[in-house]
Amino acid sequence: MSANRFMLEGPSYQDQFSEDEDEDVVRAIELSLQESKGKDIYIDLEFHQNDEVEILAQVLEESTLSYAELSTSTEGSELKWWKLFKEFNPSVHTSKGTSWWRKSRKRCNTLVCDVCEEQISSEWLRCAYWGQTVCKKHISDGTPCCCACSRFKIGDVKYITLSDGRQLCPDCRYTAVMDPEDCKPLLDEVHRFFKGLNMKIRYYIPILLVDQEEIIRIHKKSILGSTIYEKFELDAVNYVSKSIQRGENVEVVKEVEQLPPGRKVRAVLLLYGFPKLAIGSTLAHELMHAWMRVQGYRGLALNIAEGLSQVMAHKWLEWQSFTGNDYMKGTSEKAQFLRNLKEFMKDGIERRYSEAYGHGFREAKWAVERYGLIYTLEHIARKGKLPE
């Protein structure tokens, strides 16, 4: 399979079998189970916590877009072992940035790296959603990895480098929000989304695109977006007013925005350069924080505040399917990729394992699905907790 075709195909959601094929599959599984009885199965787990793996794990955990499964192979069978490890060890918090690796006791004769096309014999990373398998060495050897969809560069596909060093694949670049002009119609969409939920935002909130350097300067870590409240000690923000692509590199022009003092919500910051779907989802998340602050929700547990905001981000992605925007219509490769990207981001929200963003999201989603969004919000306003 060529590199371009692989990147544009996206995942296969479901295998369709005829009735005869179904029966064949069932018989094959039964025979496999019978053959495995009586055999001793030994799996050697060897955990590593080196700096390179730590950094990657932290990035994947903090991003609402990125989701990867670390897996290997024993006797030719893929073993998504970290999920099993998590089930048997529920006290282990993968959100701490700890990445688990293991080496196969036996050399794998079939697995090939999608980046270098060399046979993999020890450790590798698998991006479960896109079906991409790469050698561990590509984490630190400079191989470009898209900051939005988490896919490594394959073949001669040209990635672009943003001004702050992030890499972006051409598929994600297609709808990337690069400057305020790109952000205005998206902001109108998100406001329309909130209005459809009877949560119209009448409060003026500056929406500013910033680069990663500015986010780190303000928050001491890299995040996709943030809401600046009245007590946050910040007078001005260096925002991206214009971006210019020169070949495979992007340069930006920055300007200074003075933040209005004495307001409940002083600004919402968004990391520029991500696709429209990602920026819109992040904006929905941050505007939910802003809406709750303006409505007087105070002292909420982190699980509730972040969980509800993640629910809104997830709902916005679902709403994109309902509204049927032009950029996602049709049967072209670009339209199909965007539909796949939307599912990838929803999948990333649903599968996160951090306490606030993962567990908090699932609890909030359960309450909203059972009682409805408005009742859930009213209950939180009265009781300070989710309805049970």
Side-chain angles (χ1 to χ4, degrees):
M1 184 180 293
S2 68
N4 285 333
R5 184 182 173 193
F6 169 79
M7 295 183 73
L8 293 170
E9 267 189 347
S12 174
Y13 294 102
Q14 182 176 330
D15 292 326
Q16 302 294 332
F17 296 109
S18 66
E19 291 183 3
D20 292 337
E21 289 171 327
D22 279 334
E23 293 176 359
D24 291 341
V25 171
V26 171
R27 282 196 293 270
I29 293 173
E30 290 175 349
L31 287 172
S32 177
L33 291 174
Q34 290 171 7
E35 290 173 359
S36 65
K37 288 180 179 178
K39 292 183 178 179
D40 293 329
I41 300 176
Y42 179 78
I43 300 175
D44 179 29
L45 296 183
E46 183 175 340
F47 303 116
H48 300 266
Q49 293 179 309
N50 58 47
D51 294 338
E52 298 163 358
V53 176
E54 288 286 330
I55 292 170
L56 178 67
Q58 184 67 28
V59 170
L60 292 176
E61 177 57 34
E62 290 180 353
S63 171
T64 59
L65 311 177
S66 303
Y67 173 68
E69 282 187 357
L70 303 181
S71 58
T72 188
S73 178
T74 302
E75 298 183 357
S77 302
E78 181 186 350
L79 177 64
K80 295 177 181 177
W81 69 273
W82 77 266
K83 190 177 294 183
L84 297 175
F85 179 84
K86 182 69 180 175
E87 290 172 0
F88 287 113
N89 298 271
S91 62
V92 175
H93 299 289
T94 54
S95 62
K96 301 291 185 184
T98 302
S99 181
W100 307 99
W101 292 85
R102 67 174 283 259
K103 290 185 177 180
S104 174
R105 178 172 288 277
K106 187 176 180 180
R107 182 177 178 82
C108 176
N109 296 317
T110 58
L111 199 61
V112 175
C113 174
D114 290 317
V115 174
C116 61
E117 298 184 352
E118 294 179 1
Q119 182 174 279
I120 299 174
S121 60
S122 56
E123 301 170 327
W124 65 87
L125 174 76
R126 183 184 299 280
C127 186
Y129 190 86
W130 299 106
Q132 196 179 63
T133 302
V134 298
C135 306
K136 177 188 170 185
K137 66 182 180 183
H138 297 305
I139 297 172
S140 57
D141 68 356
T143 301
C145 180
C146 180
C147 63
C149 67
S150 300
R151 295 179 303 177
F152 284 83
K153 180 180 181 299
I154 295 178
D156 59 356
V157 177
K158 293 183 178 179
Y159 278 39
I160 67 168
T161 302
L162 300 179
S163 61
D164 51 21
R166 288 175 291 140
Q167 304 279 334
L168 199 64
C169 74
D171 294 323
C172 290
R173 173 66 180 92
Y174 174 56
T175 60
V177 177
M178 305 297 284
D179 53 47
E181 290 301 316
D182 296 332
C183 199
K184 286 179 181 178
L186 180 58
L187 178 59
D188 291 338
E189 275 190 36
V190 177
H191 275 288
R192 196 164 71 248
F193 163 70
F194 272 82
K195 184 179 178 181
L197 296 172
N198 296 317
M199 297 171 64
K200 187 174 181 179
I201 300 174
R202 297 181 175 88
Y203 191 85
Y204 171 71
I205 303 171
I207 309 295
L208 303 174
L209 291 177
V210 296
D211 62 6
Q212 191 166 241
E213 293 174 356
E214 185 68 0
I215 283 282
I216 293 175
R217 181 185 76 84
I218 295 170
H219 294 285
K220 312 306 178 187
K221 61 180 180 179
S222 179
I223 52 179
L224 297 181
S226 69
T227 304
I228 307 299
Y229 300 125
E230 69 272 26
K231 293 184 178 179
F232 197 96
E233 295 181 1
L234 185 67
D235 296 326
V237 174
N238 299 310
Y239 74 97
V240 174
S241 62
K242 185 179 181 180
S243 67
I244 304 167
Q245 183 171 345
R246 303 186 188 280
E248 297 178 14
N249 297 289
V250 172
E251 300 174 1
V252 296
V253 177
K254 294 184 184 180
E255 295 184 14
V256 177
E257 175 80 6
Q258 298 293 330
L259 300 185
R263 296 177 63 85
K264 292 180 179 179
V265 180
R266 302 176 68 191
V268 168
L269 309 183
L270 301 171
L271 190 58
Y272 95 100
F274 279 97
K276 178 181 177 181
L277 285 166
I279 296 289
S281 177
T282 304
L283 183 56
H285 177 109
E286 298 303 333
L287 284 184
M288 185 58 184
H289 281 302
W291 185 89
M292 288 190 290
R293 179 57 63 99
V294 172
Q295 295 297 320
Y297 289 74
R298 297 294 183 94
L300 295 180
L302 188 62
N303 274 26
I304 296 176
E306 296 298 347
L308 281 172
S309 297
Q310 285 290 79
V311 166
M312 295 301 284
H314 192 272
K315 276 184 170 293
W316 188 83
L317 290 169
E318 291 179 332
W319 184 73
Q320 289 298 297
S321 302
F322 175 76
T323 55
N325 289 329
D326 290 339
Y327 71 100
M328 291 180 64
K329 290 180 180 178
T331 57
S332 68
E333 290 180 333
K334 288 181 178 179
Q336 183 59 52
F337 171 78
L338 291 172
R339 289 192 289 269
N340 291 341
L341 182 64
K342 175 179 66 67
E343 295 301 324
F344 168 71
M345 288 188 290
K346 286 173 59 181
D347 186 69
I349 293 173
E350 293 164 3
R351 292 175 179 266
R352 289 190 72 168
Y353 284 92
S354 65
E355 186 64 25
Y357 291 88
H359 185 63
F361 161 74
R362 287 181 283 276
E363 284 190 331
K365 186 173 184 288
W366 178 87
V368 169
E369 288 179 346
R370 180 167 184 176
Y371 299 106
L373 179 61
I374 299 303
Y375 177 84
T376 299
L377 291 171
E378 291 174 348
H379 187 277
I380 292 172
R382 295 193 311 268
K383 305 289 188 179
K385 62 180 182 179
L386 292 167
E388 299 176 354

